[in-house]
Amino acid sequence: MPQRPAFAKWLDDTNDVTATFLAAGRIPGLVNLGGGLPGTEIWPIPEMARLATSAVTDHADETLAYAPVAGLPKLRDLIASRYSEGDLTLTRDNVLITSGGAQALNLIGTVLLEQGSPIASQTPAYLGALDNWRPRQPTYRPMRLDANDLDPVAAMTGAQFAYTVPNFSNPTGKLVDTATRRRLVDAAHETGTWLIEDDPYGTLYYDDAPLPRMLTLSADCAGTPYDGPVIYLGTVSKELAPGLRIGWIIAAPELIEVLKAAKQSADMCSSGLCQQITHDAFATGLADDMLPGILSLYRARRDALCTAMDTHLTDLFTWEHPSGGMFVWATAKDPGLDTNHLMQVGLDHGVCISPSSVFDPEGRDHTSIRINFTYNTEDKLALGIERLATATRAALANT
């Protein structure tokens, strides 16, 4: 039999952690602290069912046919209106609807990345972004946004774009302060480099008022449609439901036009049905009504996780108490602990965590773990941390 052509070379550079997650889901009794999942209790199922029925019966032409490539005009108008503030003026020409936040990252890679080109990236970085851009094999210039020696101009000069998650970063859960946001925006203006503000967790502030978006900080001409360097990514996955697969890109109209062409070749359009449901969830106030309950639930789960960590992990890890988002980032006190190995040992003890190596563009960091607190109940979080403590001691005993 003739030999088939080889698979693309970039596949040799993939990580196996995602496959491990999928396999781990079949382990009976596993406590999954490794994912980035919202709690299923937040879904307003009766209300969403009514919106879905109304979407089909009242808007069949929009929901059952192909939608416009850029998205339903009324949803684009609604997104533009929700984000317009201060000097930031948005129109539908600034908005592209995507099939979830993941497609937004993919489209950006399609239109902005040449093979092997540089990206300035907040580090550690979101695994989903790294996976989306991996086929183009970019190089990375790490930006540690809380470091004293941060030089965003140097990092961004000549880069294809800069990537950040300023609100409760995935994976670290850290919040980038306003002064650093201004420095990043100023560097984007100075260097001419696109600045991505990926913001899936921007509504999940538990303790303080939200900080200004870099999109807003970069606007400098009130009343004129936005034409600045920030590319803002939003999604309904954390405030409505991930299964809707609706996200959006807000950017300068010239970039939206190019992204629209890439989207047309990728999937033609996002689901009209899901766009209509999303529009109506915002327009009727359902999304706003859900938010207090989401914040209350997640705040309690964060506190339960941190209490359990204080009880069981203080001799093993250091971490910060996050003020929002979905994650705690814990770093091993013993430099001999390999968290890739800890992930495997953890599965043997009935708990799943995410090792830091997959969030490092170069795969070298094996010292930390990401822990999710939004998916599990408070009791399961406590159980998971007990198991993690046992697994960590077992892993250290074999180093």
Side-chain angles (χ1 to χ4, degrees):
M1 176 182 291
Q3 185 173 359
R4 294 187 176 95
F7 294 121
K9 290 182 179 180
W10 70 266
L11 289 166
D12 295 335
D13 191 38
T14 57
N15 72 82
D16 58 2
V17 169
T18 300
T20 302
F21 283 155
L22 295 175
R26 296 189 291 272
I27 298 175
L30 178 81
V31 179
N32 183 3
L33 303 178
L37 305 174
T40 59
E41 301 90 341
I42 70 171
W43 300 333
I45 294 174
E47 292 86 352
M48 295 293 282
R50 285 194 290 272
L51 291 183
T53 299
S54 174
V56 174
T57 57
D58 298 340
H59 306 279
D61 289 346
E62 292 176 300
T63 60
L64 302 182
Y66 289 113
V69 175
L72 295 182
K74 60 186 173 185
L75 179 57
R76 295 166 68 201
D77 288 341
L78 184 149
I79 297 297
S81 177
R82 284 178 73 88
Y83 285 91
S84 292
E85 59 179 347
D87 288 342
L88 178 64
T89 301
L90 301 170
T91 73
R92 70 174 64 165
D93 292 336
N94 293 110
V95 181
L96 175 71
I97 304 301
T98 62
S99 297
Q103 187 185 50
L105 295 167
N106 186 272
L107 294 177
I108 286 168
T110 299
V111 305
L112 294 182
L113 271 182
E114 299 292 352
Q115 195 76 12
S117 57
I119 297 171
S121 177
Q122 180 177 353
T123 302
Y126 170 46
L127 171 59
L130 300 179
D131 281 347
N132 262 293
W133 302 326
R134 199 180 305 274
R136 297 181 185 272
Q137 299 179 304
T139 58
Y140 285 90
R141 300 174 182 174
M143 297 191 299
R144 297 193 178 275
L145 300 185
D146 57 352
N148 292 331
D149 60 352
L150 172 67
D151 186 347
V153 171
M156 293 166 66
T157 298
Q160 296 294 104
F161 55 79
Y163 177 68
T164 69
V165 185
N167 286 321
F168 316 115
S169 167
N170 181 354
T172 66
K174 290 187 177 181
L175 180 67
V176 176
D177 62 46
T178 301
T180 303
R181 295 178 190 222
R182 292 187 186 279
R183 290 181 65 193
L184 290 164
V185 168
D186 289 345
H189 282 287
E190 180 176 339
T191 63
T193 302
W194 297 107
L195 173 60
I196 298 174
E197 180 176 16
D198 193 0
D199 194 25
Y201 315 107
T203 58
L204 302 182
Y205 278 79
Y206 306 135
D207 300 326
D208 301 302
L211 299 183
R213 300 182 186 96
M214 292 192 295
L215 178 68
T216 304
L217 294 174
S218 69
D220 57 9
C221 191
T224 300
Y226 181 73
D227 193 34
V230 172
I231 306 170
Y232 180 91
L233 312 184
T235 175
V236 300
S237 293
K238 309 305 183 292
E239 56 183 317
L240 283 175
L244 288 170
R245 306 311 303 138
I246 295 296
W248 49 87
I249 301 174
I250 300 174
E254 63 171 325
L255 180 57
I256 293 296
E257 284 300 308
V258 176
L259 290 165
K260 184 168 69 172
K263 179 175 174 61
Q264 184 169 8
S265 65
D267 70 350
M268 188 66 72
C269 62
S270 297
S271 164
L273 175 59
C274 292
Q275 289 186 68
Q276 183 67 49
I277 294 170
T278 298
H279 172 274
D280 292 348
F282 283 124
T284 62
L286 175 61
D288 294 329
D289 292 342
M290 290 172 58
L291 185 58
I294 293 172
L295 298 182
S296 178
L297 179 71
Y298 290 174
R299 185 184 297 111
R301 291 184 175 181
R302 175 204 60 182
D303 293 344
L305 176 76
C306 290
T307 296
M309 292 178 70
D310 288 340
T311 301
H312 298 287
L313 297 181
T314 51
D315 60 328
L316 300 170
F317 293 93
T318 61
W319 64 89
E320 294 181 5
H321 190 88
S323 59
M326 300 174 67
F327 306 108
V328 171
W329 183 254
T331 299
K333 289 185 173 181
D334 189 328
L337 180 64
D338 183 327
T339 54
N340 275 20
H341 176 60
L342 176 60
M343 179 182 183
Q344 298 298 330
V345 177
L347 293 176
D348 293 337
H349 286 77
V351 63
C352 182
I353 51 87
S354 297
S356 54
S357 63
V358 298
F359 305 107
D360 177 0
E362 297 180 323
R364 297 177 180 175
D365 183 0
H366 290 232
T367 63
S368 301
I369 59 176
R370 186 192 73 178
I371 304 173
N372 169 261
F373 57 80
T374 54
Y375 178 68
N376 291 290
T377 64
E378 295 171 33
D379 289 344
K380 287 194 74 173
L381 289 168
L383 176 61
I385 293 301
E386 288 183 38
R387 292 178 177 178
L388 176 58
T390 301
T392 303
R393 293 186 173 93
L396 285 169
N398 292 323
T399 57

PDB file of all heavy atoms in Angstrom, residues 139-171:
ATOM      1  N   THR A 139       7.105  33.008  17.412  1.00  0.00           N
ATOM      2  CA  THR A 139       8.014  33.171  18.545  1.00  0.00           C
ATOM      3  C   THR A 139       7.340  34.107  19.548  1.00  0.00           C
ATOM      4  O   THR A 139       6.457  34.891  19.178  1.00  0.00           O
ATOM      5  CB  THR A 139       9.354  33.763  18.101  1.00  0.00           C
ATOM      6  OG1 THR A 139       9.129  35.031  17.465  1.00  0.00           O
ATOM      7  CG2 THR A 139      10.058  32.824  17.132  1.00  0.00           C
ATOM      8  N   TYR A 140       7.738  34.015  20.804  1.00  0.00           N
ATOM      9  CA  TYR A 140       7.067  34.792  21.853  1.00  0.00           C
ATOM     10  C   TYR A 140       8.050  35.676  22.602  1.00  0.00           C
ATOM     11  O   TYR A 140       9.176  35.259  22.915  1.00  0.00           O
ATOM     12  CB  TYR A 140       6.358  33.859  22.843  1.00  0.00           C
ATOM     13  CG  TYR A 140       5.082  33.273  22.290  1.00  0.00           C
ATOM     14  CD1 TYR A 140       5.093  32.068  21.594  1.00  0.00           C
ATOM     15  CD2 TYR A 140       3.872  33.933  22.435  1.00  0.00           C
ATOM     16  CE1 TYR A 140       3.933  31.533  21.067  1.00  0.00           C
ATOM     17  CE2 TYR A 140       2.705  33.413  21.912  1.00  0.00           C
ATOM     18  CZ  TYR A 140       2.735  32.208  21.235  1.00  0.00           C
ATOM     19  OH  TYR A 140       1.582  31.685  20.707  1.00  0.00           O
ATOM     20  N   ARG A 141       7.598  36.895  22.871  1.00  0.00           N
ATOM     21  CA  ARG A 141       8.311  37.815  23.750  1.00  0.00           C
ATOM     22  C   ARG A 141       7.485  37.929  25.035  1.00  0.00           C
ATOM     23  O   ARG A 141       6.437  38.584  25.052  1.00  0.00           O
ATOM     24  CB  ARG A 141       8.444  39.188  23.097  1.00  0.00           C
ATOM     25  CG  ARG A 141       9.211  39.181  21.779  1.00  0.00           C
ATOM     26  CD  ARG A 141       9.160  40.554  21.162  1.00  0.00           C
ATOM     27  NE  ARG A 141       9.841  40.601  19.869  1.00  0.00           N
ATOM     28  CZ  ARG A 141       9.831  41.665  19.073  1.00  0.00           C
ATOM     29  NH1 ARG A 141       9.167  42.773  19.448  1.00  0.00           N
ATOM     30  NH2 ARG A 141      10.471  41.643  17.920  1.00  0.00           N
ATOM     31  N   PRO A 142       7.919  37.296  26.108  1.00  0.00           N
ATOM     32  CA  PRO A 142       7.105  37.281  27.320  1.00  0.00           C
ATOM     33  C   PRO A 142       7.006  38.650  27.978  1.00  0.00           C
ATOM     34  O   PRO A 142       7.998  39.391  28.049  1.00  0.00           O
ATOM     35  CB  PRO A 142       7.827  36.277  28.220  1.00  0.00           C
ATOM     36  CG  PRO A 142       9.223  36.247  27.706  1.00  0.00           C
ATOM     37  CD  PRO A 142       9.151  36.508  26.238  1.00  0.00           C
ATOM     38  N   MET A 143       5.809  38.997  28.429  1.00  0.00           N
ATOM     39  CA  MET A 143       5.581  40.214  29.208  1.00  0.00           C
ATOM     40  C   MET A 143       4.995  39.810  30.559  1.00  0.00           C
ATOM     41  O   MET A 143       3.863  39.305  30.612  1.00  0.00           O
ATOM     42  CB  MET A 143       4.620  41.163  28.490  1.00  0.00           C
ATOM     43  CG  MET A 143       5.093  41.697  27.170  1.00  0.00           C
ATOM     44  SD  MET A 143       4.025  43.055  26.537  1.00  0.00           S
ATOM     45  CE  MET A 143       2.438  42.204  26.385  1.00  0.00           C
ATOM     46  N   ARG A 144       5.765  39.975  31.610  1.00  0.00           N
ATOM     47  CA  ARG A 144       5.250  39.745  32.968  1.00  0.00           C
ATOM     48  C   ARG A 144       4.751  41.093  33.473  1.00  0.00           C
ATOM     49  O   ARG A 144       5.542  41.966  33.832  1.00  0.00           O
ATOM     50  CB  ARG A 144       6.326  39.140  33.859  1.00  0.00           C
ATOM     51  CG  ARG A 144       6.758  37.766  33.345  1.00  0.00           C
ATOM     52  CD  ARG A 144       7.591  36.982  34.329  1.00  0.00           C
ATOM     53  NE  ARG A 144       7.934  35.675  33.788  1.00  0.00           N
ATOM     54  CZ  ARG A 144       7.166  34.589  33.864  1.00  0.00           C
ATOM     55  NH1 ARG A 144       5.993  34.669  34.488  1.00  0.00           N
ATOM     56  NH2 ARG A 144       7.554  33.448  33.339  1.00  0.00           N
ATOM     57  N   LEU A 145       3.436  41.244  33.450  1.00  0.00           N
ATOM     58  CA  LEU A 145       2.841  42.571  33.600  1.00  0.00           C
ATOM     59  C   LEU A 145       2.958  43.132  35.009  1.00  0.00           C
ATOM     60  O   LEU A 145       2.708  44.324  35.207  1.00  0.00           O
ATOM     61  CB  LEU A 145       1.377  42.532  33.139  1.00  0.00           C
ATOM     62  CG  LEU A 145       1.170  42.115  31.675  1.00  0.00           C
ATOM     63  CD1 LEU A 145      -0.299  42.229  31.298  1.00  0.00           C
ATOM     64  CD2 LEU A 145       2.029  42.965  30.730  1.00  0.00           C
ATOM     65  N   ASP A 146       3.321  42.301  35.981  1.00  0.00           N
ATOM     66  CA  ASP A 146       3.509  42.814  37.343  1.00  0.00           C
ATOM     67  C   ASP A 146       4.980  42.959  37.697  1.00  0.00           C
ATOM     68  O   ASP A 146       5.325  43.237  38.854  1.00  0.00           O
ATOM     69  CB  ASP A 146       2.814  41.904  38.355  1.00  0.00           C
ATOM     70  CG  ASP A 146       3.283  40.462  38.281  1.00  0.00           C
ATOM     71  OD1 ASP A 146       4.049  40.132  37.346  1.00  0.00           O
ATOM     72  OD2 ASP A 146       2.880  39.654  39.142  1.00  0.00           O
ATOM     73  N   ALA A 147       5.871  42.790  36.715  1.00  0.00           N
ATOM     74  CA  ALA A 147       7.311  42.877  36.984  1.00  0.00           C
ATOM     75  C   ALA A 147       7.780  44.323  36.991  1.00  0.00           C
ATOM     76  O   ALA A 147       7.276  45.162  36.227  1.00  0.00           O
ATOM     77  CB  ALA A 147       8.091  42.086  35.932  1.00  0.00           C
ATOM     78  N   ASN A 148       8.741  44.627  37.834  1.00  0.00           N
ATOM     79  CA  ASN A 148       9.270  45.995  37.923  1.00  0.00           C
ATOM     80  C   ASN A 148       9.993  46.418  36.654  1.00  0.00           C
ATOM     81  O   ASN A 148      10.071  47.610  36.342  1.00  0.00           O
ATOM     82  CB  ASN A 148      10.215  46.108  39.125  1.00  0.00           C
ATOM     83  CG  ASN A 148       9.504  45.980  40.462  1.00  0.00           C
ATOM     84  OD1 ASN A 148       8.327  46.334  40.564  1.00  0.00           O
ATOM     85  ND2 ASN A 148      10.197  45.464  41.455  1.00  0.00           N
ATOM     86  N   ASP A 149      10.542  45.446  35.935  1.00  0.00           N
ATOM     87  CA  ASP A 149      11.304  45.778  34.731  1.00  0.00           C
ATOM     88  C   ASP A 149      10.481  45.661  33.448  1.00  0.00           C
ATOM     89  O   ASP A 149      11.043  45.591  32.350  1.00  0.00           O
ATOM     90  CB  ASP A 149      12.553  44.897  34.621  1.00  0.00           C
ATOM     91  CG  ASP A 149      12.221  43.400  34.535  1.00  0.00           C
ATOM     92  OD1 ASP A 149      11.036  43.047  34.716  1.00  0.00           O
ATOM     93  OD2 ASP A 149      13.151  42.599  34.295  1.00  0.00           O
ATOM     94  N   LEU A 150       9.164  45.654  33.552  1.00  0.00           N
ATOM     95  CA  LEU A 150       8.306  45.569  32.365  1.00  0.00           C
ATOM     96  C   LEU A 150       8.597  46.734  31.416  1.00  0.00           C
ATOM     97  O   LEU A 150       8.590  47.896  31.817  1.00  0.00           O
ATOM     98  CB  LEU A 150       6.829  45.593  32.771  1.00  0.00           C
ATOM     99  CG  LEU A 150       5.819  45.692  31.620  1.00  0.00           C
ATOM    100  CD1 LEU A 150       5.839  44.422  30.775  1.00  0.00           C
ATOM    101  CD2 LEU A 150       4.404  45.957  32.170  1.00  0.00           C
ATOM    102  N   ASP A 151       8.849  46.413  30.145  1.00  0.00           N
ATOM    103  CA  ASP A 151       9.082  47.421  29.116  1.00  0.00           C
ATOM    104  C   ASP A 151       8.187  47.078  27.922  1.00  0.00           C
ATOM    105  O   ASP A 151       8.627  46.415  26.985  1.00  0.00           O
ATOM    106  CB  ASP A 151      10.551  47.444  28.706  1.00  0.00           C
ATOM    107  CG  ASP A 151      10.885  48.585  27.744  1.00  0.00           C
ATOM    108  OD1 ASP A 151       9.944  49.210  27.204  1.00  0.00           O
ATOM    109  OD2 ASP A 151      12.082  48.847  27.515  1.00  0.00           O
ATOM    110  N   PRO A 152       6.918  47.516  27.943  1.00  0.00           N
ATOM    111  CA  PRO A 152       6.001  47.121  26.874  1.00  0.00           C
ATOM    112  C   PRO A 152       6.402  47.654  25.504  1.00  0.00           C
ATOM    113  O   PRO A 152       6.136  47.006  24.491  1.00  0.00           O
ATOM    114  CB  PRO A 152       4.654  47.676  27.324  1.00  0.00           C
ATOM    115  CG  PRO A 152       4.967  48.735  28.320  1.00  0.00           C
ATOM    116  CD  PRO A 152       6.237  48.317  28.971  1.00  0.00           C
ATOM    117  N   VAL A 153       7.061  48.794  25.448  1.00  0.00           N
ATOM    118  CA  VAL A 153       7.492  49.322  24.150  1.00  0.00           C
ATOM    119  C   VAL A 153       8.520  48.391  23.516  1.00  0.00           C
ATOM    120  O   VAL A 153       8.434  48.048  22.326  1.00  0.00           O
ATOM    121  CB  VAL A 153       8.062  50.747  24.292  1.00  0.00           C
ATOM    122  CG1 VAL A 153       8.698  51.205  22.985  1.00  0.00           C
ATOM    123  CG2 VAL A 153       6.954  51.717  24.707  1.00  0.00           C
ATOM    124  N   ALA A 154       9.489  47.936  24.302  1.00  0.00           N
ATOM    125  CA  ALA A 154      10.503  47.027  23.771  1.00  0.00           C
ATOM    126  C   ALA A 154       9.874  45.708  23.338  1.00  0.00           C
ATOM    127  O   ALA A 154      10.221  45.159  22.282  1.00  0.00           O
ATOM    128  CB  ALA A 154      11.581  46.776  24.821  1.00  0.00           C
ATOM    129  N   ALA A 155       8.937  45.202  24.142  1.00  0.00           N
ATOM    130  CA  ALA A 155       8.317  43.921  23.811  1.00  0.00           C
ATOM    131  C   ALA A 155       7.448  44.019  22.562  1.00  0.00           C
ATOM    132  O   ALA A 155       7.409  43.094  21.736  1.00  0.00           O
ATOM    133  CB  ALA A 155       7.485  43.434  24.987  1.00  0.00           C
ATOM    134  N   MET A 156       6.769  45.140  22.383  1.00  0.00           N
ATOM    135  CA  MET A 156       5.792  45.272  21.317  1.00  0.00           C
ATOM    136  C   MET A 156       6.382  45.771  19.995  1.00  0.00           C
ATOM    137  O   MET A 156       5.780  45.569  18.929  1.00  0.00           O
ATOM    138  CB  MET A 156       4.654  46.185  21.780  1.00  0.00           C
ATOM    139  CG  MET A 156       3.832  45.560  22.914  1.00  0.00           C
ATOM    140  SD  MET A 156       2.721  46.716  23.775  1.00  0.00           S
ATOM    141  CE  MET A 156       1.566  47.119  22.472  1.00  0.00           C
ATOM    142  N   THR A 157       7.529  46.404  20.047  1.00  0.00           N
ATOM    143  CA  THR A 157       8.128  46.927  18.818  1.00  0.00           C
ATOM    144  C   THR A 157       8.436  45.788  17.848  1.00  0.00           C
ATOM    145  O   THR A 157       9.185  44.864  18.175  1.00  0.00           O
ATOM    146  CB  THR A 157       9.413  47.709  19.126  1.00  0.00           C
ATOM    147  OG1 THR A 157       9.100  48.841  19.954  1.00  0.00           O
ATOM    148  CG2 THR A 157      10.071  48.199  17.844  1.00  0.00           C
ATOM    149  N   GLY A 158       7.841  45.839  16.677  1.00  0.00           N
ATOM    150  CA  GLY A 158       8.076  44.823  15.659  1.00  0.00           C
ATOM    151  C   GLY A 158       7.273  43.555  15.819  1.00  0.00           C
ATOM    152  O   GLY A 158       7.370  42.653  14.973  1.00  0.00           O
ATOM    153  N   ALA A 159       6.486  43.441  16.897  1.00  0.00           N
ATOM    154  CA  ALA A 159       5.641  42.262  17.078  1.00  0.00           C
ATOM    155  C   ALA A 159       4.400  42.359  16.184  1.00  0.00           C
ATOM    156  O   ALA A 159       3.940  43.452  15.864  1.00  0.00           O
ATOM    157  CB  ALA A 159       5.220  42.121  18.534  1.00  0.00           C
ATOM    158  N   GLN A 160       3.866  41.202  15.802  1.00  0.00           N
ATOM    159  CA  GLN A 160       2.635  41.189  15.005  1.00  0.00           C
ATOM    160  C   GLN A 160       1.472  41.727  15.818  1.00  0.00           C
ATOM    161  O   GLN A 160       0.603  42.413  15.299  1.00  0.00           O
ATOM    162  CB  GLN A 160       2.328  39.778  14.524  1.00  0.00           C
ATOM    163  CG  GLN A 160       3.354  39.194  13.570  1.00  0.00           C
ATOM    164  CD  GLN A 160       3.394  39.939  12.245  1.00  0.00           C
ATOM    165  OE1 GLN A 160       4.315  40.723  12.001  1.00  0.00           O
ATOM    166  NE2 GLN A 160       2.411  39.716  11.405  1.00  0.00           N
ATOM    167  N   PHE A 161       1.434  41.358  17.093  1.00  0.00           N
ATOM    168  CA  PHE A 161       0.449  41.903  18.029  1.00  0.00           C
ATOM    169  C   PHE A 161       0.904  41.566  19.439  1.00  0.00           C
ATOM    170  O   PHE A 161       1.819  40.752  19.647  1.00  0.00           O
ATOM    171  CB  PHE A 161      -0.968  41.377  17.762  1.00  0.00           C
ATOM    172  CG  PHE A 161      -1.110  39.881  17.755  1.00  0.00           C
ATOM    173  CD1 PHE A 161      -1.185  39.152  18.925  1.00  0.00           C
ATOM    174  CD2 PHE A 161      -1.188  39.191  16.549  1.00  0.00           C
ATOM    175  CE1 PHE A 161      -1.323  37.779  18.924  1.00  0.00           C
ATOM    176  CE2 PHE A 161      -1.323  37.815  16.523  1.00  0.00           C
ATOM    177  CZ  PHE A 161      -1.394  37.102  17.712  1.00  0.00           C
ATOM    178  N   ALA A 162       0.260  42.204  20.419  1.00  0.00           N
ATOM    179  CA  ALA A 162       0.484  41.893  21.830  1.00  0.00           C
ATOM    180  C   ALA A 162      -0.790  41.265  22.376  1.00  0.00           C
ATOM    181  O   ALA A 162      -1.898  41.711  22.057  1.00  0.00           O
ATOM    182  CB  ALA A 162       0.836  43.154  22.618  1.00  0.00           C
ATOM    183  N   TYR A 163      -0.631  40.242  23.212  1.00  0.00           N
ATOM    184  CA  TYR A 163      -1.784  39.507  23.742  1.00  0.00           C
ATOM    185  C   TYR A 163      -1.839  39.639  25.253  1.00  0.00           C
ATOM    186  O   TYR A 163      -0.854  39.346  25.947  1.00  0.00           O
ATOM    187  CB  TYR A 163      -1.705  38.027  23.356  1.00  0.00           C
ATOM    188  CG  TYR A 163      -2.840  37.207  23.931  1.00  0.00           C
ATOM    189  CD1 TYR A 163      -4.144  37.392  23.480  1.00  0.00           C
ATOM    190  CD2 TYR A 163      -2.608  36.266  24.937  1.00  0.00           C
ATOM    191  CE1 TYR A 163      -5.185  36.650  24.014  1.00  0.00           C
ATOM    192  CE2 TYR A 163      -3.645  35.520  25.468  1.00  0.00           C
ATOM    193  CZ  TYR A 163      -4.940  35.725  25.005  1.00  0.00           C
ATOM    194  OH  TYR A 163      -5.982  35.000  25.538  1.00  0.00           O
ATOM    195  N   THR A 164      -3.003  40.057  25.774  1.00  0.00           N
ATOM    196  CA  THR A 164      -3.193  40.202  27.216  1.00  0.00           C
ATOM    197  C   THR A 164      -4.581  39.718  27.624  1.00  0.00           C
ATOM    198  O   THR A 164      -5.528  39.740  26.845  1.00  0.00           O
ATOM    199  CB  THR A 164      -3.047  41.666  27.669  1.00  0.00           C
ATOM    200  OG1 THR A 164      -4.158  42.436  27.169  1.00  0.00           O
ATOM    201  CG2 THR A 164      -1.737  42.275  27.184  1.00  0.00           C
ATOM    202  N   VAL A 165      -4.675  39.293  28.882  1.00  0.00           N
ATOM    203  CA  VAL A 165      -5.962  39.018  29.538  1.00  0.00           C
ATOM    204  C   VAL A 165      -5.927  39.805  30.845  1.00  0.00           C
ATOM    205  O   VAL A 165      -5.582  39.267  31.899  1.00  0.00           O
ATOM    206  CB  VAL A 165      -6.164  37.509  29.800  1.00  0.00           C
ATOM    207  CG1 VAL A 165      -7.566  37.244  30.359  1.00  0.00           C
ATOM    208  CG2 VAL A 165      -5.932  36.692  28.531  1.00  0.00           C
ATOM    209  N   PRO A 166      -6.255  41.094  30.810  1.00  0.00           N
ATOM    210  CA  PRO A 166      -6.008  41.951  31.979  1.00  0.00           C
ATOM    211  C   PRO A 166      -6.943  41.720  33.154  1.00  0.00           C
ATOM    212  O   PRO A 166      -6.576  42.020  34.292  1.00  0.00           O
ATOM    213  CB  PRO A 166      -6.180  43.366  31.408  1.00  0.00           C
ATOM    214  CG  PRO A 166      -7.060  43.192  30.215  1.00  0.00           C
ATOM    215  CD  PRO A 166      -6.722  41.860  29.644  1.00  0.00           C
ATOM    216  N   ASN A 167      -8.144  41.203  32.898  1.00  0.00           N
ATOM    217  CA  ASN A 167      -9.073  40.943  33.995  1.00  0.00           C
ATOM    218  C   ASN A 167      -8.987  39.482  34.433  1.00  0.00           C
ATOM    219  O   ASN A 167      -9.524  38.588  33.782  1.00  0.00           O
ATOM    220  CB  ASN A 167     -10.507  41.280  33.585  1.00  0.00           C
ATOM    221  CG  ASN A 167     -10.758  42.765  33.527  1.00  0.00           C
ATOM    222  OD1 ASN A 167     -10.264  43.516  34.363  1.00  0.00           O
ATOM    223  ND2 ASN A 167     -11.520  43.222  32.538  1.00  0.00           N
ATOM    224  N   PHE A 168      -8.249  39.235  35.532  1.00  0.00           N
ATOM    225  CA  PHE A 168      -8.198  37.923  36.167  1.00  0.00           C
ATOM    226  C   PHE A 168      -7.702  36.860  35.188  1.00  0.00           C
ATOM    227  O   PHE A 168      -8.389  35.882  34.875  1.00  0.00           O
ATOM    228  CB  PHE A 168      -9.564  37.562  36.744  1.00  0.00           C
ATOM    229  CG  PHE A 168     -10.197  38.705  37.483  1.00  0.00           C
ATOM    230  CD1 PHE A 168     -11.363  39.298  37.032  1.00  0.00           C
ATOM    231  CD2 PHE A 168      -9.580  39.236  38.608  1.00  0.00           C
ATOM    232  CE1 PHE A 168     -11.922  40.376  37.694  1.00  0.00           C
ATOM    233  CE2 PHE A 168     -10.136  40.318  39.284  1.00  0.00           C
ATOM    234  CZ  PHE A 168     -11.313  40.884  38.826  1.00  0.00           C
ATOM    235  N   SER A 169      -6.498  37.089  34.742  1.00  0.00           N
ATOM    236  CA  SER A 169      -5.879  36.302  33.695  1.00  0.00           C
ATOM    237  C   SER A 169      -6.078  34.801  33.868  1.00  0.00           C
ATOM    238  O   SER A 169      -5.995  34.262  34.968  1.00  0.00           O
ATOM    239  CB  SER A 169      -4.372  36.601  33.684  1.00  0.00           C
ATOM    240  OG  SER A 169      -3.676  35.669  32.908  1.00  0.00           O
ATOM    241  N   ASN A 170      -6.336  34.161  32.753  1.00  0.00           N
ATOM    242  CA  ASN A 170      -6.236  32.718  32.654  1.00  0.00           C
ATOM    243  C   ASN A 170      -4.813  32.432  32.151  1.00  0.00           C
ATOM    244  O   ASN A 170      -4.483  32.833  31.017  1.00  0.00           O
ATOM    245  CB  ASN A 170      -7.268  32.193  31.646  1.00  0.00           C
ATOM    246  CG  ASN A 170      -7.239  30.685  31.506  1.00  0.00           C
ATOM    247  OD1 ASN A 170      -6.401  30.010  32.061  1.00  0.00           O
ATOM    248  ND2 ASN A 170      -8.191  30.166  30.730  1.00  0.00           N
ATOM    249  N   PRO A 171      -3.916  31.900  33.002  1.00  0.00           N
ATOM    250  CA  PRO A 171      -4.207  31.023  34.138  1.00  0.00           C
ATOM    251  C   PRO A 171      -4.044  31.618  35.533  1.00  0.00           C
ATOM    252  O   PRO A 171      -4.443  30.987  36.505  1.00  0.00           O
ATOM    253  CB  PRO A 171      -3.157  29.938  33.951  1.00  0.00           C
ATOM    254  CG  PRO A 171      -1.946  30.681  33.474  1.00  0.00           C
ATOM    255  CD  PRO A 171      -2.496  31.748  32.557  1.00  0.00           C
TER     256      PRO A 171
END
